[in-house]
Every structure is written in structure tokens, then in C-alpha cells.
């Protein structure tokens, strides 16, 4: 087992003075507040990033507002699409550099950084680029009576809402950041993006590539810092919309604050406690491989991943045996080692949180495999399988956002809707079966924004994604995002 070599440009980038990207300029901070960026695989500090002060936040929003009414408004739709496509090309051309940077900050395996943070980011950008020329209103025929021969026409226009504040988490910081950038820019909005304090570096580099791709200065700005920087953005009077991805407690604060600030539009992509149900006919090898692939990817730090699995009681033992057999043999180690499947958790607070869930699992439930931290530097834990003692166990209800799947046996398929819906969350869910009739009857009964059959966790730009219940408000992707980034203006004409 050996680590790949870091590219010289990655070492050079890490050594830079990091702060923000405002009005086309890479700038250091002036507030004196800084955040160390820690490599979760080693616990070592790899860079220092300055936190934005109030004047810098204001400068970023003002730059975005100037670009919204100036350079970006003057850009034709097809030009916006062409720029986003060039941006995707540059992300691919710098793919290895971006992937290495993101792995160093997030602990994500280098394969995942290459595949998702780089590859999927380019795919999503290209999808959104195609929308730039297809965002249109409708024409209507009013029924007003004509008393003196006059006639009426009406149409709607889709107009960009203005400056968008994007606030993103640390788990897929580049890809989720790109979702916000692409949706804002293709609709004609401009953006101030606040990365997570744990993973700000790659997005700063991305902002430079955006300029190289032809995005005018001020259209995409990045301000760094802790939650208070995000909060100041939400409050800013020139921010027209907030798009937030993160935890439920923060999302609640952001939503309430946005309403109180200016009735600012807000979309919230929040957490989940996603259920998977194995129906009596499920295919053992297929379901186990699918749930391991999607439940433990990036150490389970994926909002859409399955965290609780309902299994027919008679088949619980064979599922647990197969599951734990695969997990016990999985290589854990440096995420820069291409032969490794499991890396570290992404940061110390997340590591402490997962250790807390291990304690709960040892106390309340039955741990079948895993359940411990590794005795080595960095934030490594074992992939873990838990069996709940009953439907009330905490591991069936609290989002762990870690490599822990909790199983519960059931006796009758009719129990499944109540079991699966017994959660404040409603992000994703899956059913595993080849019984089409049963699957089709269950789909309308499950409370989730996305329901998968014989798969879980996958996201595609053409398919709307978002949560119901406490998992959020609004949808990304598909054509659904357009409603959230544009105002509908009605025009009526008498002639
Ligand atoms: P978090 O809520 O702690 O932080 C998210 C972002 O909000 C960070 O940039 C943070 O600095 C900022 N923030 C914190 N306090 C703020 C405040 N008061 N006002 C404005 N901004 C503030 O979440 P996290 O720990 O970074 O991410 C993990 C969570 O994100 C999990 O719950 C996960 O399920 C969720 N998530 C959801 C999706 C989705 O699409 N539904 C995707 C990824 C992650």
C-alpha cells in the first residue's frame, strides 16, 4: 500500500495566503480571525484560511450585485451556457489537482474525489449549461370583454432573482458548491458562496478557474469563515435568495433568519435518516453489495445514504453475516492510497459525534461488527453494523452521518410504511425487490423526496432532488430548480 505523490501545483497552492475570492481577486483576510485546515487522515494542519469580516462580506455582495445588473445581465443566454461548459472543461483539465486538494481537506478517497468532486461536478455543470437557452415564460389569452374593439395579450417572463447566497457543507463541498454555482449562473443570477470552514480550499481554486473560463469578475464570489459569516450573508439586504445545504438545526436557523431579514427566498437541503426495506423476495448478493456501496461511501457522510435497513425476520442472520463478512475485509487507510476503500471521517467534530453514536449503540443496541475507532493518527473508525433491539432505538432515529447502518427485522410487509415513515426526516428511501406489483403499491406510501428501487443514494442532474418533512424545502436539478432561481413576472397588454 502506498500513497500517490502530490502534484507540485497542489503543494504550491497549499502554501498560498488563503482568504476569499471577491470581485475576481484572490485575497487574504484582514480580520485577524483564521481557521486551520486539518488533514483528517493525519491530524496535521495543511493550510490556514482567514475568516471574512463584515466589510469583506459586504464587498462580496456588492460585487455580485454590480455583476448581476452589469456584466452578467449583458451576457446572452447561449454565452452563459458556453462559459459554464468551458468551466467544466477546465475542472476536468485540472482534475487531479482539484481531487488531491479535496482529499487532503476532507479525507475522501482519491477515487471519490476524482469521480464525484471532479467528474460529477463537470457533468452537473454541463447539464445546467444546457438550461441557459431554455428558460422561458408562457403566453396566455386573457378573457377580458372587448367593449370598443380593444384586445388583450399576456405573457410571463422568467427573471433571475438577483444575488444568491450559497452556504455549503463539508461532505461533498466541490460538487454541492457546483450545484449552487451552476443553478445561479445559468439562470442569470450571481453568487456569493460560503464554503464549510473545514473544506474551503478547492472552491477557492475553482473560483480562479471560473475566471479563466470567462465568468466575469463579481459573478462568483467566495467568502470564508465559520457559521457567523453564513449568518451575515443571510441577513444581507442585497441578498435575494439563500440556498443552503447542511444540517437540520442550522437549516432551521437559516430559514427563520431569511424570512425575518427580508422575506428572503430560501431553499434548504438538509439531513436524512434514510430507510431501506428489503422485501421478502430480495436478492441477497445484489442488495448487500448495493447497500454497502451506497451506505458506506465516503464513510457514510452522504446525506442521501441509507442509515437504517428493514429486513424480513427469517433472513436477518444471512444478511448480517454477508454484510459483516464484506466489511471486515475492507481495507482502511490513507485516502491518498488508491488501494484503500475506507478513509477517515472528515473532521474532529464529526469523529467525536460518531464515537458518541458508537457508545449509544453499545449501550442500547447490538453491534455486529465495527463500533470502534482505529488506534492511529487521524479520524479513522471501523465501518459498523448494528441491530436495533426495537423500533425506538436511537440508531434508527438520529442521523449519524457516519459509517453505521442499523438493522431492524420485520414480520409483515404491511408494517413497512409505518416503520419507514417513523422519522422526522424525508430525504431518500429505497425498496429492494423484483416484485413490481408490491414496489408500485409501496412507492406512494413512503415519505421521501427520492424513492429508489434496487438502488440508493445515486443523484443525477436530470432528476429533481430535495427533501420533504424536516429534510428541507425546494428542489435542485431537473427543471425544478428554475422556480427557485427566477421570479415569474406577468405582463398584460391592451392593444
Ligand atoms: P452544518 O449545518 O453544520 O453547516 C453547513 C454550513 O452552514 C457550513 O458552511 C457552516 O459554516 C454554515 N453555518 C453554520 N451555522 C450557520 C448559521 N447560523 N447561519 C448560516 N450558515 C451557518 O452542516 P455540516 O456539518 O457542514 O454538514 C453535514 C450536514 O449536511 C448533514 O446533516 C447532512 O445530512 C447535510 N447535507 C445535506 C445534503 C442535502 O442535499 N440534503 C447534502 C449534504 C449534506
Amino acid at each position: 500500500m502506498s500513497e500517490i505523490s502530490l502534484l507540485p501545483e497542489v503543494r504550491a497552492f497549499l502554501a498560498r495566503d488563503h482568504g476569499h475570492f471577491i470581485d475576481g481577486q484572490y485575497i487574504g483576510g484582514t480580520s485577524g480571525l483564521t481557521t486551520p485546515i486539518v488533514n483528517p487522515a493525519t491530524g496535521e494542519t495543511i493550510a490556514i484560511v482567514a475568516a471574512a469580516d463584515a466589510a469583506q462580506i459586504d464587498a462580496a455582495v456588492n460585487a455580485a450585485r454590480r455583476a448581476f445588473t452589469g456584466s452578467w445581465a449583458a451576457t446572452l443566454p447561449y454565452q452563459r451556457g458556453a462559459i459554464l461548459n468551458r468551466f467544466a472543461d477546465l475542472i476536468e483539465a485540472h482534475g487531479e489537482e482539484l481531487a488531491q486538494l479535496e482529499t487532503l481537506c476532507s479525507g475522501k478517497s482519491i477515487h471519490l474525489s476524482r469521480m464525484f468532486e471532479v467528474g460529477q461536478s463537470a457533468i452537473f455543470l454541463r447539464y445546467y449549461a444546457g438550461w441557459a437557452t431554455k428558460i422561458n415564460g408562457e403566453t396566455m389569452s386573457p378573457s377580458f370583454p372587448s367593449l370598443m374593439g380593444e384586445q388583450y395579450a399576456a405573457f410571463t417572463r422568467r427573471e433571475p432573482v438577483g444575488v444568491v447566497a450559497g452556504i455549503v457543507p463539508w461532505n461533498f463541498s466541490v460538487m454541492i458548491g457546483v450545484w449552487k454555482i451552476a443553478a445561479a449562473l445559468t439562470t442569470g443570477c450571481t453568487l456569493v458562496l460560503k464554503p464549510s470552514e473545514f473544506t474551503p480550499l478547492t472552491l477557492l481554486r475553482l473560483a480562479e478557474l471560473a475566471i479563466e473560463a470567462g465568468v466575469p469578475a463579481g459573478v462568483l464570489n467566495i467568502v470564508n469563515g465559520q457559521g457567523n459569516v453564513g449568518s451575515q450573508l443571510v441577513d444581507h439586504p442585497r441578498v435575494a435568495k439563500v440556498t443552503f445545504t447542511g444540517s437540520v438545526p442550522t437549516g432551521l436557523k437559516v430559514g427563520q433568519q431569511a424570512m425575518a431579514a427580508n422575506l428572503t427566498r430560501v431553499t434548504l437541503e438538509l439531513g436524512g435518516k434514510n430507510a431501506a426495506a428489503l422485501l421478502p423476495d430480495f436478492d441477497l448478493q445484489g442488495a448487500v453489495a448495493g447497500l454497502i456501496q451506497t451506505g458506506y461511501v465516503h464513510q457514510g457522510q452522504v446525506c442521501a445514504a441509507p442509515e437504517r435497513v428493514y429486513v424480513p425476520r427469517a433472513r436477518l442472520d444471512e444478511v448480517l453475516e454477508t454484510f459483516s463478512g464484506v466489511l471486515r475485509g475492507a481495507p482502511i487507510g490513507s485516502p491518498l492510497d488508491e488501494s484503500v476503500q475506507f478513509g477517515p471521517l472528515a473532521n474532529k467534530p464529526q469523529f467525536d459525534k460518531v464515537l458518541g453514536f458508537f457508545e449509544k449503540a453499545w449501550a442500547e443496541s447490538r453491534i455486529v461488527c465495527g463500533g470502534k475507532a482505529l488506534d492511529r493518527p487521524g479520524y479513522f473508525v471501523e465501518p459498523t453494523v448494528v441491530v436495533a433491539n426495537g423500533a425506538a432505538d436511537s440508531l434508527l432515529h438520529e442521523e449519524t452521518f457516519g459509517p453505521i447502518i442499523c438493522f431492524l427485522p420485520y414480520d409483515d410487509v404491511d408494517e413497512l410504511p409505518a416503520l419507514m415513515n417513523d422519522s422526522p426526516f424525508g430525504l431518500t428511501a429505497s425498496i429492494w425487490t423484483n416484485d413490481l406489483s408490491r414496489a408500485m403499491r409501496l412507492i406512494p406510501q413512503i415519505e421521501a423526496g427520492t424513492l429508489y428501487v434496487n438502488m440508493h443514494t445515486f443523484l443525477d442532474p436530470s432528476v429533481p432532488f430535495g427533501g420533504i418533512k424536516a429534510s428541507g424545502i425546494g428542489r435542485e436539478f431537473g427543471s425544478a430548480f428554475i422556480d427557485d432561481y427566477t421570479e415569474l413576472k406577468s405582463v398584460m397588454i391592451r392593444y
Side-chain angles (χ1 to χ4, degrees):
M1 298 219 260
S2 65
E3 291 189 354
I4 56 168
S5 309
L6 290 183
L7 295 172
E9 50 267 46
V10 171
R11 292 184 192 282
F13 183 80
L14 288 176
R16 279 162 69 170
D17 176 23
H18 303 287
H20 323 288
F21 195 87
I22 299 174
D23 211 4
Q25 300 296 318
Y26 200 99
I27 47 173
T30 55
S31 69
L33 283 175
T34 55
T35 310
I37 306 306
V38 173
N39 178 350
T42 61
E44 288 163 3
T45 297
I46 53 169
I48 305 281
V49 177
D53 59 23
Q56 288 170 323
I57 294 167
D58 208 40
V61 176
N62 288 339
R65 181 68 203 175
R66 275 195 306 278
F68 174 68
T69 52
S71 57
W72 205 230
T75 311
L76 296 171
Y78 93 89
Q79 291 171 321
R80 293 203 295 269
I83 289 171
L84 290 183
N85 275 319
R86 277 204 298 277
F87 190 19
D89 293 343
L90 284 172
I91 288 177
E92 285 174 333
H94 291 264
E96 185 59 18
E97 175 194 351
L98 299 169
Q100 290 190 4
L101 266 179
E102 194 54 27
T103 285
L104 287 170
C105 310
S106 69
K108 184 174 292 121
S109 90
I110 189 69
H111 296 298
L112 289 179
S113 290
R114 289 172 183 155
M115 193 187 307
F116 289 96
E117 302 286 36
V118 174
Q120 285 293 314
S121 290
I123 288 172
F124 274 86
L125 263 173
R126 291 206 168 91
Y127 175 84
Y128 278 100
W131 273 112
T133 49
K134 298 167 194 70
I135 297 171
N136 297 311
E138 292 175 302
T139 55
M140 293 93 184
S141 307
S143 297
F144 300 129
S146 174
L147 301 177
M148 296 164 60
E150 73 275 26
Q151 293 191 22
Y152 297 89
F155 62 93
T156 55
R157 289 171 48 81
R158 286 261 168 210
E159 297 183 350
V161 292
V163 176
V164 175
I167 302 174
V168 294
W170 45 258
N171 64 326
F172 279 92
S173 48
V174 182
M175 189 174 66
I176 294 173
V178 162
W179 297 346
K180 315 295 188 201
I181 296 169
L185 270 52
T186 203
T187 48
C189 299
T190 56
L191 186 72
V192 181
L193 193 63
K194 209 296 275 172
S196 164
E197 52 274 36
F198 296 104
T199 51
L201 294 179
T202 321
L203 285 170
L204 281 171
R205 181 73 186 103
L206 222 65
E208 290 184 320
L209 295 179
I211 294 284
E212 208 179 315
V215 173
V219 171
L220 168 61
N221 307 273
I222 312 258
V223 289
N224 277 308
Q226 309 278 332
N228 66 312
V229 171
S231 173
Q232 288 174 71
L233 276 178
V234 176
D235 262 347
H236 200 290
R238 289 184 156 212
V239 165
K241 169 192 163 59
V242 176
T243 170
F244 172 86
T245 300
S247 63
V248 171
T250 313
L252 276 174
K253 277 190 224 160
V254 166
Q256 286 164 358
Q257 200 185 328
M259 278 292 127
N262 259 318
L263 287 181
T264 306
R265 287 158 161 265
V266 64
T267 42
L268 304 170
E269 294 287 350
L270 308 179
K273 183 73 192 177
N274 309 307
L278 307 183
L279 300 200
D281 72 306
F282 76 94
D283 159 46
L284 178 69
Q285 298 305 332
V288 170
L291 286 170
I292 287 180
Q293 181 196 27
T294 58
Y296 295 92
V297 64
H298 193 22
Q299 287 65 255
Q301 300 166 125
V302 182
C303 58
E307 288 205 1
R308 52 194 173 110
V309 180
Y310 301 94
V311 186
R313 191 176 299 279
R315 298 189 66 187
L316 181 65
D317 289 345
E318 60 175 320
V319 169
L320 294 178
E321 209 173 293
T322 318
F323 232 85
S324 43
V326 176
L327 291 179
R328 282 198 189 102
I332 306 181
S334 166
L336 286 171
D337 182 333
E338 290 173 327
S339 66
V340 153
Q341 193 176 345
F342 291 110
L345 294 171
N347 52 62
K348 179 76 165 63
Q350 178 64 12
F351 178 65
D352 292 339
K353 191 174 139 195
V354 168
L355 295 189
F357 281 114
F358 285 163
E359 269 176 41
K360 276 191 186 174
W362 286 113
E364 275 182 44
S365 314
R366 174 163 71 89
I367 293 194
V368 178
C369 76
K372 292 193 296 295
L374 266 58
D375 185 16
R376 57 175 286 171
Y379 310 131
F380 291 86
V381 299
E382 295 170 335
T384 298
V385 172
V386 175
V387 180
N389 278 323
D393 280 25
S394 329
L395 271 284
L396 285 173
H397 296 279
E398 295 174 31
E399 182 189 40
T400 67
F401 213 53
I404 309 175
I405 293 189
C406 185
F407 289 83
L408 185 74
Y410 70 86
D411 296 302
D412 191 323
V413 174
D414 291 343
E415 296 170 53
L416 283 175
L419 287 170
M420 294 173 81
N421 296 339
D422 182 17
S423 170
F425 300 106
L427 193 56
T428 69
S430 63
I431 46 184
W432 298 74
T433 181
N434 281 319
D435 184 336
L436 181 65
S437 172
R438 263 199 171 136
M440 293 300 283
R441 282 171 173 73
L442 267 175
I443 288 168
Q445 298 184 64
I446 306 304
E447 295 166 356
T450 302
L451 196 286
Y452 302 96
V453 180
N454 295 328
M455 60 188 290
H456 207 125
T457 311
F458 286 72
L459 302 184
D460 184 272
S462 69
V463 184
F465 177 71
I468 62 171
K469 296 159 77 177
S471 289
I473 299 173
R475 291 290 178 274
E476 302 195 270
F477 320 154
S479 59
F481 80 98
I482 295 169
D483 272 350
D484 289 323
Y485 286 81
T486 58
E487 287 286 3
L488 200 56
K489 178 180 279 175
S490 300
V491 180
M492 286 198 263
I493 302 173
R494 178 162 57 194
Y495 60 95

